[in-house]
Each structure stands twice: as C-alpha cells, then as structure tokens.
C-alpha cells in the first residue's frame, strides 16, 4: 500500500534561493502535518492542515515559510530566501481521523534540505 | 519548558537484556502517548501508543503510562541489535497537536 510520499528526498539550495517541498499523504487521510527535524533533535511542529484548512501554523519559524494544501490532498511547504539555519530534514505526516488524540501519525521519508 | 522530556542517552544494553526508555510531559491535559522508532537517516515509525493508565503489551514491547506522575515509558524485552535506534516519545493533547521529545538513542550490544 502507498504510504506518505515526499519529494525531493534531498535538496541542496544556495542561500537566498526559494525551495518547494512536496508531500503526498496517504489517500483519505484528513490531517496533514509538517515537522522540521534538526540533527540529533526530535521533530518540531511547523503547521497542520485538516483537509484544505490550515488550522495551526504557529510553528512556522518565520514569514519565509509558507504551506498550502489547496485541494485537501497534496501539500507543499515553501521556504523563501533560504538561510543556512533552514538546513534540516522536513518531515510530513498524515493521520486519518482529526480530533481524536489516539490516531497516530504516519510519516513520509522526509526531505533533507541543505542550504549552502 | 519543553512539553516532552526524554533522556537523550545514549543508552547501551547487552543483547537479551531489557531496555527501559522514559518520557515525562508537562501538560496534564495530554490524552494519548506514542512511541516511535527512528533509524539513522530514516523517518519515524510507530511502535505503539497508549492512552489509558497502566501497561500495554505488544510482543517484546510494553508501554507504561502513569498520568498522575505524568510519565510514560517503553520497555523492550530481549533486546536485539536491530533495536538500536533513536526512540521518540510523542504526546497528543487531544487537539491534533503532537509534541515530540528529543529522542533517546539506544544501542544494543551483541
């Protein structure tokens, strides 16, 4: 069965470039999350969608970060004018049932972003 | 103050021993608790979740939850070298907001 798919797996960007990271969740999953994971750290919450609605974007570190999920399926995380501190693994996760705390997250393989 | 705290380790146990991983959380309203395993360079994979006080067993893994003391633990019996990974504790407040600890690195020595 298809899991959460993320692309690209690796991205190298020069400082100042814009990047777009894609997430294709498990079919039918209502909830979609973006996390940022620095080396040796746990995943840090960035933003959360329920269908196409972005319900929480409190974790986005700056206004250079923008996420969308226009049709309630595929999501894109965009980072404008990348900085070296943006280098991390960006994880996407989906969950089938919103509002129920015992519904686990299913993670994609992540996109490793390196800003040079 | 971070919502979820874990000892970063590294924790080393000999093959066949019991590995004990602990996690504490700050929000008394937390409702469900998850353990994920993450191999180096890979994404987190769910091991088990628990939302009622007490123990929950699944094969060699046992999750223990004590809401009064605000801690959750994971026991791995008969540890194998393939269990060597980072173990992430995640807490859900019931609002679809998951908070992760920094993870505990486990090494099982053959």
């Amino acid at each position: 069965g298809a899991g959460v798919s993320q692309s690209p797996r690796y991205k190298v960007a020069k400082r100042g470039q814009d990047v777009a990271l894609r997430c294709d969740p498990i079919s039918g999953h209502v909830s979609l999350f973006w996390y940022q994971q620095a080396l040796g750290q746990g995943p840090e919450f960035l933003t959360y969608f329920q269908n196409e609605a972005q319900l929480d974007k409190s974790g986005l570190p700056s206004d250079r970060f923008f996420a969308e999920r226009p049709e309630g399926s595929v999501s894109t995380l965009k980072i404008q004018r990348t900085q070296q501190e943006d280098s991390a693994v960006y994880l996407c996760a989906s969950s089938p049932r919103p509002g129920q705390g015992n519904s686990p997250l299913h993670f994609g393989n992540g996109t490793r972003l390196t800003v040079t | 103050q971070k919502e979820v705290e874990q000892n970063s380790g590294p924790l080393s146990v000999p093959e066949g021993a019991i590995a004990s991983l602990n996690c504490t959380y700050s929000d008394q309203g937390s409702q469900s608790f998850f353990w994920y395993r993450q191999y180096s360079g890979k994404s987190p994979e769910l091991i088990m979740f628990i939302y009622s006080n007490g123990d929950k067993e699944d094969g060699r893994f046992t999750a223990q939850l004590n809401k009064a003391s605000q801690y959750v633990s994971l026991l791995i019996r008969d540890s194998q070298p393939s269990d060597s990974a980072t173990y992430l504790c995640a807490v859900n407040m019931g609002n679809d907001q998951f908070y992760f600890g920094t993870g505990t690195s486990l090494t099982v020595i053959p």
Side-chain angles (χ1 to χ4, degrees):
Chain A
V4 178
S5 177
Q6 291 188 247
S7 62
R9 282 285 282 128
Y10 304 93
K11 177 69 179 178
V12 179
K14 291 187 177 179
R15 190 162 57 108
Q17 278 186 327
D18 297 348
V19 298
L21 313 180
R22 176 189 167 103
C23 173
D24 199 340
I26 294 173
S27 178
H29 277 199
V30 172
S31 301
L32 185 146
F33 301 77
W34 283 99
Y35 286 85
Q36 180 189 62
Q37 187 173 26
L39 190 64
Q41 300 297 314
E44 294 281 348
F45 171 78
L46 293 177
T47 187
Y48 158 59
F49 290 85
Q50 192 176 114
N51 295 308
E52 69 279 4
Q54 189 174 21
L55 299 187
D56 189 342
K57 55 181 181 179
S58 62
L60 296 176
S62 77
D63 59 7
R64 297 186 295 104
F65 287 71
F66 172 77
E68 60 183 3
R69 194 187 185 196
E71 297 179 358
S73 178
V74 171
S75 177
T76 303
L77 176 67
K78 298 179 179 178
I79 309 173
Q80 297 177 323
R81 304 182 304 280
T82 52
Q83 304 294 314
Q84 284 191 318
E85 61 263 28
D86 300 334
S87 296
V89 175
Y90 290 84
L91 294 167
C92 176
S94 69
S95 176
R97 299 182 299 275
Q100 295 185 21
N102 60 350
S103 183
L105 298 179
H106 301 265
F107 283 90
N109 285 327
T111 294
R112 181 178 297 275
L113 173 65
T114 303
V115 181
T116 60
Chain B
Q1 180 184 2
K2 289 188 69 68
E3 290 84 0
V4 181
E5 299 274 358
Q6 292 183 256
N7 187 329
S8 62
L11 173 66
S12 294
V13 299
E15 184 174 356
I18 296 175
S20 178
L21 305 162
N22 299 311
C23 172
T24 59
Y25 58 95
S26 59
D27 194 318
Q28 291 183 335
S30 301
Q31 295 190 5
S32 51
F33 309 85
F34 303 81
W35 283 100
Y36 285 83
R37 177 175 61 199
Q38 187 173 29
Y39 292 113
S40 181
K42 302 294 186 182
S43 61
E45 55 180 331
L46 179 70
I47 297 175
M48 53 191 312
F49 67 89
I50 186 169
Y51 49 87
S52 298
N53 270 330
D55 296 0
K56 179 180 179 181
E57 186 175 318
D58 184 0
R60 295 187 297 112
F61 299 94
T62 299
Q64 300 175 317
L65 174 61
N66 185 322
K67 287 190 176 182
S69 301
Q70 294 178 230
Y71 84 80
V72 57
S73 61
L74 179 70
L75 300 178
I76 307 175
R77 291 182 300 281
D78 188 24
S79 296
Q80 301 297 308
S82 59
D83 294 328
S84 299
T86 295
Y87 289 80
L88 296 165
C89 172
V91 174
N92 185 286
M93 313 297 183
N95 58 358
D96 279 339
Q97 177 61 281
F98 291 79
Y99 292 96
F100 284 82
T102 56
T104 298
S105 175
L106 172 67
T107 299
V108 180
I109 303 167

